């Protein structure tokens, strides 16, 4: 008997969780449950991250967590439970399989069958944001080498274990050459280790357009956090309904399984929600804990129910559906079909050993790091960049001169364009051609401060093994 943690969540959560548990029980899945309370009730009890401290112990003990959707309270002061769970438990990989169930579920993409693998811990979701000046806010995008290695290796291992033929990488490395550039570069490093699997790369904008247009041309697609968040919702929606897809969040030691949709407060308590998304999440869980045969039995019963035309309201279509059923009745139909095989769809066949593990990334030998200067960010309400530039140029020295000023990335000094719109946020680059000491930067900062320059922050400019590791100004 395997013990897993469950949480029924908010909105439609309890209805769909009860439906899913009734199917697991009827299929005799050897699982025992420890239930915890997350979401609205926990937030209201004063736990700002949506979970009571003692419930972490249960999650830690069982390692496997099946979670219904929760309602994230609006307004400040509350933290997203989903982000907290993913990051606290090190669930670096979010896996979302999306396929069509044509002709029983209406979709423009009958043969789509792809898997989005989304990096789950970093990127803009580090949640490091600051208001720096009255006009400008920033959010730090952090991409790490170990983070890229784990998720990209996971994507290839997933493809191999699930008999998939191709892994595609999405990034925006034409613009973000260091962050997305690292993601793409590590993809190119790891791909040759899997000669049995094809690989390719798209810039995320055209990639997203192609996925929305011809999803059937994609197989496994791996991408950084934000792109994965957006694109996996698109693929869920165009497969027929957000109510149909499940997802897994996989880490080195923990795993969490859920539906891709939210708590749907608009239909909660009405017995009309589709429990299929959470059921698909539960089937991913069964595969993960070595119960693939039971997952196959349930999936075959579920496909049979879809083929029989017993459909919940979200996928009900009078032309193909036979009967509109409620959440409970749908689950009962799946239970009645346990042991049956689908006629139209291929029988379910899940890999037998699908708990995929990837090695801890090895830290590469540290490179030689040398300091070349500093980007000094300044709050200044003036309008003419030459005025600020001339003042700072005098502060610069032969050893550490002012080399440029940018405003939101675009070079405005020296030789800017009058037309460039400027905010109150200026990045002033003091840089030397050869390595310098930190003391020199410190001295420059002190002189800036004494001359009334309002410094918001600094970002140091390094070269690693002689290669400059910072972006140029746009137009530089
Ligand atoms: P949602 O996914 O809850 O609902 C979007 C639309 O899809 C609604 O019209 C809803 O009725 C429908 N829908 C969703 N699931 C369905 C199902 N199983 N059967 C039939 N129809 C279904 O998205 P939302 O309305 O943007 O968010 C509601 C709440 O859920 C918010 O508080 C949000 O923060 C939260 N949320 C939680 C999770 C999670 O816990 N993993 C994920 C997404 C959103």
């Amino acid at each position: 008997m395997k013990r897993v943690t469950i949480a029924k969540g908010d909105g439609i959560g309890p209805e769909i969780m009860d439906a899913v548990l009734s199917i697991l029980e009827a299929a005799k899945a050897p699982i025992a449950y420890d239930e915890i309370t997350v979401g609205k009730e926990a937030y209201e009890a004063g736990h700002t991250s949506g979970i009571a401290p003692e419930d972490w112990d249960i999650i830690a003990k069982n390692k496997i967590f099946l979670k219904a959707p929760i309602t994230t309270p609006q307004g400040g002061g509350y933290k997203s439970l989903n982000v907290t769970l993913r990051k606290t438990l090190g669930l670096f990989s979010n896996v979302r399989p999306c396929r069509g169930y044509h002709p029983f579920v209406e979709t423009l993409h009958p043969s789509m069958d792809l898997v989005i693998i989304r990096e789950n811990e970093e990127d803009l979701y580090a949640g490091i944001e600051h208001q720096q000046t009255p006009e400008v806010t920033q959010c730090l995008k952090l991409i790490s080498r170990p983070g890229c290695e784990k998720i990209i290796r996971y994507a290839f291992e997933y493809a191999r274990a699930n008999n998939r033929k191709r892994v595609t990488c999405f990034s925006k490395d034409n613009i973000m050459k260091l962050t997305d550039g690292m993601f793409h570069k590590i993809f190119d490093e790891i791909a040759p280790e899997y000669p049995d699997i094809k690989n390719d790369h798209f810039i995320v904008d055209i990639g997203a357009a192609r996925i929305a247009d011809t999803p059937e041309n994609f197989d496994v697609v791996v991408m950084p956090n934000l792109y994965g968040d957006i694109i996996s919702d698109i693929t869920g929606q165009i497969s027929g309904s957000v109510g149909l897809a499940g997802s897994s969040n996989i880490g080195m030691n923990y795993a969490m399984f859920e539906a891709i949709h939210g708590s749907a407060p608009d239909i909660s308590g009405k017995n009309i929600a589709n429990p299929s998304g959470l059921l698909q999440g539960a089937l991913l869980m069964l595969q993960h804990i070595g119960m693939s045969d039971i997952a196959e039995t349930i999936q075959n019963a579920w496909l049979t129910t879809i083929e029989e035309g017993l459909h919940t309201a979200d996928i009900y279509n009078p032309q193909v559906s036979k009967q509109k059923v409620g959440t409970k009745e749908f689950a009962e139909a799946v239970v009645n079909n346990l042991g049956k095989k689908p006629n139209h769809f291929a029988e379910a066949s899940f890999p037998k050993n699908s708990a995929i593990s990837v090695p801890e990334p090895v830290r590469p030998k540290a490179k030689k790091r040398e300091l070349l200067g500093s980007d000094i960010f300044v709050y200044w309400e003036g309008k003419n960049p030459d005025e600020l530039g001339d003042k700072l140029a005098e502060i610069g020295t032969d050893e550490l001169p002012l080399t440029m000023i940018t405003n939101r990335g675009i070079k405005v000094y020296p030789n800017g364009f009058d037309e460039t719109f400027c905010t109150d946020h200026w990045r002033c680059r003091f840089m030397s051609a050869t390595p310098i000491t930190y003391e020199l930067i410190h001295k420059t900062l002190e002189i800036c401060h004494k001359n009334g320059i309002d410094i918001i922050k600094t970002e140091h400019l390094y070269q690693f093994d002689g290669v400059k590791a910072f972006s140029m100004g746009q137009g530089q």
Side-chain angles (χ1 to χ4, degrees):
M1 191 66 85
K2 174 83 188 159
R3 289 200 86 80
V4 309
T5 307
I6 58 162
K8 293 191 177 181
D10 301 318
I12 59 171
E15 306 162 53
I16 59 174
M17 181 62 89
D18 288 343
V20 167
L21 295 182
S22 72
I23 296 169
L24 295 185
E25 195 185 328
K28 303 200 167 36
I31 298 179
Y33 306 101
D34 289 320
E35 187 176 343
I36 62 168
T37 304
V38 297
K40 195 161 175 278
E41 215 179 302
Y43 283 116
E44 282 173 3
H47 306 299
T48 50
S49 55
I51 180 168
E54 58 273 19
D55 284 342
W56 283 111
D57 299 339
I58 298 174
I59 291 177
K61 182 171 63 97
N62 292 332
K63 308 264 189 300
I64 304 292
F65 186 16
L66 178 64
K67 185 180 94 27
I70 62 144
T71 302
T72 311
Q74 298 292 315
Y78 297 108
K79 295 196 200 91
S80 160
L81 173 66
N82 289 325
V83 176
T84 303
L85 282 167
R86 287 169 189 164
K87 296 188 74 164
T88 309
L89 302 176
L91 307 176
F92 65 89
S93 178
N94 184 217
V95 184
R96 291 184 170 191
C98 284
R99 56 168 282 195
Y101 299 101
H102 180 80
F104 305 99
V105 179
E106 215 178 346
T107 169
L108 293 171
H109 311 286
S111 57
M112 76 178 277
D113 181 6
L114 55 77
V115 184
I116 304 289
I117 298 194
R118 162 188 172 192
E119 197 290 320
N120 224 7
E121 290 180 296
E122 45 189 48
D123 191 1
L124 289 158
Y125 290 67
I128 306 175
E129 293 193 285
H130 302 93
Q131 175 153 10
Q132 298 187 317
T133 68
E135 287 181 351
V136 176
T137 52
Q138 80 160 12
C139 177
L140 277 189
K141 174 169 168 121
L142 297 176
I143 301 269
S144 74
R145 173 165 269 277
C148 295
E149 277 185 31
K150 279 192 293 182
I151 192 68
I152 289 164
R153 202 172 285 288
Y154 185 90
F156 280 99
E157 289 293 331
Y158 178 94
R160 205 174 249 177
N162 288 274
N163 202 22
R164 300 231 168 214
K165 307 291 177 225
R166 178 173 151 220
V167 178
T168 303
C169 172
F170 281 7
S171 81
K172 186 80 182 169
D173 64 338
N174 55 333
I175 302 294
M176 286 163 278
K177 296 189 169 67
L178 287 182
T179 48
D180 281 29
M182 180 190 275
F183 196 87
H184 187 178
K185 183 167 164 278
I186 293 175
F187 181 81
D188 286 345
E189 278 173 23
I190 290 179
E193 294 177 32
Y194 298 84
D196 47 323
I197 296 164
K198 290 196 191 105
N199 71 82
D200 55 358
H201 170 268
F202 283 90
I203 299 291
V204 62
D205 39 13
I206 187 62
R210 296 264 173 87
I211 260 195
D213 189 45
T214 46
E216 58 279 9
N217 289 345
F218 289 88
D219 198 350
V220 173
V221 195
V222 63
M223 60 193 88
N225 207 338
L226 178 65
Y227 312 143
D229 191 2
I230 297 166
I231 291 172
S232 62
D233 266 27
I234 294 174
T235 53
Q237 181 70 33
I238 64 178
S239 72
S241 166
V242 288
L244 288 177
S247 80
S248 55
N249 298 272
I250 308 288
M252 296 293 191
N253 300 308
Y254 293 89
M256 179 172 82
F257 302 86
E258 55 187 343
I260 71 160
H261 59 75
S263 58
D266 52 334
I267 57 167
S268 104
K270 296 181 178 156
N271 189 41
I272 57 174
N274 191 344
S276 301
L278 188 60
L279 181 65
Q280 291 302 325
L283 298 188
L284 292 170
M285 175 183 81
L286 291 179
Q287 295 172 59
H288 185 83
I289 58 180
M291 299 181 189
S292 294
D293 46 345
I294 300 174
E296 283 172 356
T297 305
I298 297 175
Q299 178 73 346
N300 285 331
W302 181 79
L303 289 168
T304 305
T305 310
I306 297 291
E307 283 183 2
E308 284 174 346
L310 301 179
H311 294 165
T312 45
D314 57 314
I315 56 169
Y316 180 80
N317 169 2
Q319 270 147 24
V320 287
S321 307
K322 288 227 175 56
Q323 198 187 335
K324 193 188 283 182
V325 292
T327 313
K328 254 194 195 147
E329 294 69 30
F330 181 82
E332 281 162 16
V334 175
V335 167
N336 289 334
N337 282 332
L338 286 170
K340 291 190 195 156
K341 304 274 165 68
N343 292 317
H344 174 86
F345 294 121
E347 259 180 54
S349 166
F350 295 135
K352 298 295 167 252
N353 216 342
S354 70
I356 296 160
S357 59
V358 293
E360 283 286 353
V362 183
R363 286 238 146 87
K365 203 171 140 272
K367 292 179 175 174
K368 185 176 176 202
R369 189 178 68 139
E370 290 166 310
L371 187 61
L372 292 180
S374 184
D375 279 346
I376 300 177
F377 289 75
V378 167
Y379 166 37
W380 184 61
E381 284 185 337
K383 288 290 166 239
N384 179 3
D386 289 342
E387 211 181 295
L388 178 66
D390 291 347
K391 190 169 176 183
L392 290 175
E394 277 182 29
I395 293 173
T397 57
D398 288 348
E399 283 174 294
L400 190 61
L402 174 76
T403 58
M404 68 161 183
I405 298 179
T406 68
N407 195 293
R408 289 176 306 159
I410 181 90
K411 192 191 79 167
V412 293
Y413 179 90
N415 309 323
F417 276 89
D418 289 347
E419 287 73 17
T420 306
F421 179 78
C422 291
T423 66
D424 57 6
H425 182 274
W426 310 80
R427 188 245 318 241
C428 310
R429 174 161 292 177
F430 287 83
M431 194 176 107
S432 156
T434 50
I436 55 158
T437 61
Y438 174 72
E439 282 66 35
L440 198 51
I441 293 175
H442 195 242
K443 208 168 89 192
T444 307
L445 288 171
E446 235 175 53
I447 302 171
C448 283
H449 182 66
K450 279 195 186 128
N451 281 275
I453 302 292
D454 194 338
I455 298 164
I456 310 159
K457 73 157 187 174
T458 57
E459 200 74 62
H460 292 174
L461 307 171
Y462 295 107
Q463 61 181 8
F464 289 83
D465 281 353
V467 179
K468 288 193 180 75
F470 47 87
S471 56
M472 296 291 113
Q474 289 157 344
Q476 191 182 13

